[in-house]
Amino acid sequence: HCGFASGAATAGTYNQPDFDTSGLQHDFSFTLDCTVPLRVGVVSSNGGLQASAGALPSGYVSFAPYDVTLNLVGDSTSANATCAASTLTTGSTCASFLGPASTTQGLKLNGASNLAAGSYLRVSAPPYAGPDVLVAATYSDTLVVTLSASP
């Protein structure tokens, strides 16, 4: 069998006020329950933090980049990779773990993970340093994490 552990946190939200000046970093922990090697894939809805701001004047933007790190822990092995969220949209370029996961796509854990602790998905960004000013609005993105047995 292969899946996320029952009762394990496999969904969550995170709110980081003032990420433009303070940056952001948050881990979403999960537990794998797989008796075979597996792959985990991630897809981003927006490819970054997107604000619903409509038309903007020159010098302002409604999109902020961030990175996604995937850390998988198994019984005797682990795997870790980082991709820019902009490379995690459907049909994009993150070779490490662009989802959805399949037997050949996603970050591979070359062994079983029978409820091993320590797997997480991390979202992170330094304080925003783009040439334009972020608009004062709520920014969001949705990441979908999938897994597949990959013998």
Side-chain angles (χ1 to χ4, degrees):
H1 68 271
C2 190
F4 292 105
S6 297
T10 55
T13 60
Y14 176 67
N15 181 18
Q16 173 63 53
D18 301 323
F19 72 88
D20 57 331
T21 58
S22 62
L24 70 95
Q25 180 170 314
H26 184 74
D27 292 352
F28 295 93
S29 299
F30 57 90
T31 304
L32 300 167
D33 186 12
C34 295
T35 58
V36 296
L38 62 120
R39 288 186 183 265
V40 176
V42 179
V43 175
S44 167
S45 295
N46 299 327
L49 296 171
Q50 181 71 51
S52 300
L56 298 172
S58 178
Y60 291 87
V61 294
S62 60
F63 184 83
Y66 71 96
D67 291 327
V68 178
T69 299
L70 189 56
N71 187 69
L72 307 178
V73 177
D75 297 341
S76 61
T77 188
S78 62
N80 183 287
T82 299
C83 290
S86 62
T87 66
L88 292 171
T89 57
T90 301
S92 195
T93 60
C94 174
S96 298
F97 57 83
L98 177 63
S102 70
T103 58
T104 59
Q105 187 167 327
L107 183 61
K108 184 160 187 178
L109 183 63
N110 286 314
S113 183
N114 294 295
L115 307 176
S119 293
Y120 62 82
L121 179 139
R122 173 176 292 153
V123 295
S124 63
Y128 181 74
D132 296 318
V133 177
L134 293 172
V135 295
T138 300
Y139 286 76
S140 66
D141 194 13
T142 299
L143 299 173
V144 176
V145 180
T146 56
L147 68 89
S148 174
S150 184

